[in-house]
């Protein structure tokens, strides 16, 4: 019961934050603009997807880190009240995820839905929400584990850079270094180890445009096949959502405030 | 009322609280004193469950606080610095605490009224000065008529008049039979308010004395002398 009250309170606080409003408006401009100027809706969705894959993890991880560090004293105040630690943890995390997901859905999915609701749009919505969930969980884990704000935000930024930029480069290096070996199955496993790549593959498998899929995506389709690939992607995304959250929860329960 | 047995706390290799044993009964004002970093706030936070002791046991009214959160219904806590979420209004903060603790348990509005909080309940927290936030925090601490009040430097950041009123309020609550634990660096405040003084140094209880305010002309000076001697005699590692 107390959890719902705290959750409501946190969502209200976050949704009034000017950065969340800016994020929503910015996403709206991008999705509406790309859709307006593009004649082919598939190409427009791929362009929106590329923005989503870069921007959603970045904003989620940065915003959550800053929010948790700024809320430290408020969390202390809640902890000094007759409320369970776990209730506060889940209220904070759920509040962040709901607010960021609402911003994403309002910013990206709402403008695109004016051009018609399709399965691909639902997939785009799901992957965007998953990315918010996963990177918020990582961010909460980092912020709880590191007391120093600058260090915590630095680690968060590095994690984003690693998953969004460095990872695909490393995959290519591995591919060229071990070109003579049968790497296809290993590459599928490597793809699932990156939630950003996984989200990209998930959408592109649905769009069925292998030319735009990049190396990891093309490989994924070849090995897993479309429907199996989509099912596998969602399963792994769920695992990606639960794992950092579990470790963050354990840390929070033992943390000294 | 509060019983701490053999409390030890480490922050990494730093031994912050060293085998603290304390028994504090109701109906008194206890001043927790000591230089910066002596473990005062950590001890208070251990009682509140904000910091988890590495060993030992704390009991409030005979019940262990381990894995227990209900006991905090009996405690009102005023932190050293009041921070609330910036994007919401004062009335929202008051409402959430009321909802958590139960609307009906909010019975004491004396500080709320004296500090005129009603006049700025529609203001956003971000527009308040630190002193005003401190007033909101103190009004909330006393609002629920808790049996135990833990006040971490309660007058810091308040204007002289508000600080005086706060002291009067603390005395009134003590007369009701409550237990009040305060930390402060202001010796006059200790002399004026406390019934018992506990002096922490390097994580150990170095002195635990009943404040007998009769006879001495200037108790604050006397307390200062005693604790300066104690501080100087301590062998720093």
């Amino acid at each position: 019961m107390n959890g719902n009250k705290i959750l409501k309170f946190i969502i209200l606080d976050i949704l009034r934050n000017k950065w969340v409003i800016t994020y929503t408006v910015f996403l709206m401009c991008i999705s509406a603009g790309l859709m307006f100027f593009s004649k082919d809706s598939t190409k427009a969705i791929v362009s929106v997807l590329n923005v989503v894959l870069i921007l959603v993890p970045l904003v989620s991880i940065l915003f959550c880190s800053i929010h948790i560090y700024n809320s430290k004293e408020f969390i202390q105040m809640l902890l000094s009240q007759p409320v369970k630690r776990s209730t506060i943890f889940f209220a904070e995390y759920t509040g962040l995820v709901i607010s960021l997901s609402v911003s994403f859905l309002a910013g990206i999915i709402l403008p695109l839905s004016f051009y018609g609701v399709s399965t691909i749009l639902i997939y785009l919505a799901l992957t965007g929400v998953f990315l918010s969930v996963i990177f918020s969980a990582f961010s909460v884990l980092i912020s709880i584990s590191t007391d120093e704000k600058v260090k915590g935000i630095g680690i968060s930024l590095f994690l984003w850079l690693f998953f969004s930029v460095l990872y695909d480069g490393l995959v290519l290096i591995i591919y060229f270094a071990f070109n003579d070996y049968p790497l296809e199955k290993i590459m599928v496993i490597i793809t699932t180890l990156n939630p950003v790549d996984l989200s990209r593959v998930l959408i592109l498998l649905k769009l069925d445009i292998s030319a735009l899929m990049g190396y990891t995506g093309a490989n994924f389709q070849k090995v897993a096949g479309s429907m199996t690939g989509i099912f596998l992607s969602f399963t792994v995304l769920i695992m990606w959502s639960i794992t950092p959250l579990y470790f963050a929860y354990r840390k929070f329960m033992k943390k000294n405030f | 009322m509060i019983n701490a047995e053999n409390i030890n706390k480490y922050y990494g290799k730093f031994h912050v609280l060293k085998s603290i044993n304390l028994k504090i009964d109701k109906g008194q004002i206890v001043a927790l004193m000591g230089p910066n970093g002596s473990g005062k706030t950590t001890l208070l936070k251990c009682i509140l469950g904000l910091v988890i002791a590495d060993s030992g046991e704390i009991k409030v009214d005979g019940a262990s606080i381990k894995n227990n959160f209900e006991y905090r219904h009996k405690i009102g806590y005023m932190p050293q610095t009041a921070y609330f979420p910036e994007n919401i209004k004062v009335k929202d903060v008051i409402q959430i605490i009321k909802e958590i603790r139960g609307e009906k348990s909010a019975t004491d509005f004396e500080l709320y009224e004296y500090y005129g909080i009603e006049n700025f309940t529609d203001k956003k927290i971000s527009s308040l000065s630190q002193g005003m936030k401190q007033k909101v925090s103190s009004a909330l601490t006393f609002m629920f008529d808790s049996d135990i009040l833990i006040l971490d430097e309660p007058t810091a950041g308040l204007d002289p008049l508000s600080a005086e009123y706060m002291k009067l309020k603390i005395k009134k609550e003590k007369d009701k039979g409550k237990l009040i634990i305060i930390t402060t660096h202001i010796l006059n405040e200790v002399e004026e308010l406390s019934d018992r003084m506990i002096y922490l140094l390097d994580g150990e209880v170095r002195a635990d004395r009943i404040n007998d305010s009769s006879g001495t002309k200037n108790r604050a000076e006397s307390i200062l002398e005693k604790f300066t001697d104690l501080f100087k005699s301590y062998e720093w590692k």
Side-chain angles (χ1 to χ4, degrees), chain B residues 41-147:
Chain B
T41 301
T42 304
L43 180 59
L44 291 185
K45 285 183 172 179
C46 279
I47 296 170
L48 284 157
L50 292 172
V51 167
I52 297 155
D54 292 316
S55 66
E57 191 176 37
I58 296 173
K59 287 178 180 172
V60 173
D61 273 347
S64 173
I65 65 162
K66 201 175 178 184
N67 300 323
N68 180 2
F69 68 97
E70 294 284 357
Y71 77 99
R72 289 197 286 263
H73 273 293
K74 296 174 187 166
I75 300 179
Y77 171 57
M78 182 180 171
Q80 213 171 79
T81 323
Y83 283 103
F84 304 109
E86 297 283 304
N87 298 307
I88 50 164
K89 291 176 180 174
V90 174
K91 64 179 177 190
D92 297 328
V93 172
I94 295 168
Q95 191 54 36
I96 181 74
I97 304 294
K98 271 186 184 175
E99 283 182 17
I100 289 172
R101 301 192 75 127
E103 196 90 32
K104 284 179 188 168
S105 59
T107 50
D108 187 345
F109 290 90
E110 196 180 336
L111 281 186
Y112 180 87
E113 281 160 14
Y114 182 79
Y115 290 151
I117 290 168
E118 214 167 60
N119 301 325
F120 54 88
T121 48
D122 273 323
K123 278 194 176 181
K124 263 190 168 188
I125 294 288
S126 54
S127 68
L128 299 186
S129 69
Q130 194 52 44
M132 284 163 99
K133 286 181 199 170
Q134 205 69 4
K135 284 180 181 175
V136 175
S137 173
S138 58
L140 276 170
T141 307
F142 286 87
M143 195 177 277
F144 300 94
D145 206 18
S146 314
D147 292 338

Side-chain angles (χ1 to χ4, degrees), chain A residues 2 5-6 9 13 16-17 73-74 76-85 253 255-257, chain B residues 9 11 45 48-52 69 72-73 77 83-85 87-88 92 96-97 99-101:
Chain A
N2 271 342
K5 290 167 194 166
I6 299 168
F9 186 77
D13 176 43
R16 284 177 191 168
N17 186 301
E73 285 83 5
F74 179 64
Q76 275 183 15
M77 193 192 81
L78 288 177
L79 283 169
S80 69
Q81 302 298 326
V83 189
K84 275 185 187 172
R85 263 190 186 226
M253 293 304 280
K255 190 174 167 62
N256 299 310
F257 282 91
Chain B
K9 179 68 198 170
Y11 285 138
K45 285 183 172 179
L48 284 157
L50 292 172
V51 167
I52 297 155
F69 68 97
R72 289 197 286 263
H73 273 293
Y77 171 57
Y83 283 103
F84 304 109
N87 298 307
I88 50 164
D92 297 328
I96 181 74
I97 304 294
E99 283 182 17
I100 289 172
R101 301 192 75 127

Side-chain angles (χ1 to χ4, degrees), chain A residues 44-65:
Chain A
I45 285 181
V46 173
S47 305
V48 171
L49 173 70
N50 284 324
V51 175
V52 166
L53 290 177
I54 293 287
L55 213 59
V56 170
L58 178 66
V59 172
S60 302
I61 210 162
L62 267 185
F63 183 79
C64 291
S65 282

Side-chain angles (χ1 to χ4, degrees), chain B:
Chain B
M1 199 153 206
I2 294 178
N3 208 349
E5 286 168 21
N6 204 24
I7 300 300
N8 282 285
K9 179 68 198 170
Y10 290 85
Y11 285 138
K13 285 180 184 174
F14 184 42
H15 201 170
V16 193
L17 296 177
K18 296 172 183 166
S19 302
I20 302 278
N21 285 291
L22 278 176
K23 195 170 181 291
I24 309 172
D25 291 320
K26 61 182 176 180
Q28 58 177 331
I29 299 172
V30 178
L32 206 55
M33 300 171 70
N36 298 329
S38 57
K40 304 182 295 289
T41 301
T42 304
L43 180 59
L44 291 185
K45 285 183 172 179
C46 279
I47 296 170
L48 284 157
L50 292 172
V51 167
I52 297 155
D54 292 316
S55 66
E57 191 176 37
I58 296 173
K59 287 178 180 172
V60 173
D61 273 347
S64 173
I65 65 162
K66 201 175 178 184
N67 300 323
N68 180 2
F69 68 97
E70 294 284 357
Y71 77 99
R72 289 197 286 263
H73 273 293
K74 296 174 187 166
I75 300 179
Y77 171 57
M78 182 180 171
Q80 213 171 79
T81 323
Y83 283 103
F84 304 109
E86 297 283 304
N87 298 307
I88 50 164
K89 291 176 180 174
V90 174
K91 64 179 177 190
D92 297 328
V93 172
I94 295 168
Q95 191 54 36
I96 181 74
I97 304 294
K98 271 186 184 175
E99 283 182 17
I100 289 172
R101 301 192 75 127
E103 196 90 32
K104 284 179 188 168
S105 59
T107 50
D108 187 345
F109 290 90
E110 196 180 336
L111 281 186
Y112 180 87
E113 281 160 14
Y114 182 79
Y115 290 151
I117 290 168
E118 214 167 60
N119 301 325
F120 54 88
T121 48
D122 273 323
K123 278 194 176 181
K124 263 190 168 188
I125 294 288
S126 54
S127 68
L128 299 186
S129 69
Q130 194 52 44
M132 284 163 99
K133 286 181 199 170
Q134 205 69 4
K135 284 180 181 175
V136 175
S137 173
S138 58
L140 276 170
T141 307
F142 286 87
M143 195 177 277
F144 300 94
D145 206 18
S146 314
D147 292 338
I148 302 167
L149 294 162
I150 296 178
L151 315 171
D152 202 352
E153 299 196 29
T155 56
L158 292 179
D159 59 79
L161 206 62
S162 303
E164 275 311 306
Y165 201 84
M166 164 71 83
K167 285 188 226 166
L168 280 175
K169 181 68 182 161
I170 291 171
K171 284 180 197 166
K172 259 193 209 173
E173 295 306 301
K174 178 213 153 184
D175 293 340
K176 287 184 195 168
K178 292 182 182 178
L179 166 62
I180 295 129
I181 303 174
I182 58 168
T183 69
T184 180
H185 294 290
I186 307 166
L187 293 173
N188 282 322
E189 221 166 75
V190 177
E191 185 266 326
E192 191 186 336
L193 293 172
S194 71
D195 301 299
R196 181 177 166 189
M197 293 174 292
I198 297 169
Y199 193 80
L200 282 181
L201 188 58
D202 197 30
E204 288 176 74
V205 176
R206 302 285 295 182
D208 186 350
R209 290 172 192 170
I210 302 295
N211 185 10
D212 176 17
S213 53
S214 61
T216 318
K217 276 182 191 169
N218 192 339
R219 290 287 305 167
E221 267 180 32
S222 139
I223 292 167
L224 181 64
E225 276 167 24
K226 274 180 197 167
F227 289 140
T228 309
D229 291 344
L230 201 69
F231 195 65
K232 280 179 183 167
S233 68
Y234 184 73
E235 284 177 28
W236 293 95
K237 288 152 199 155

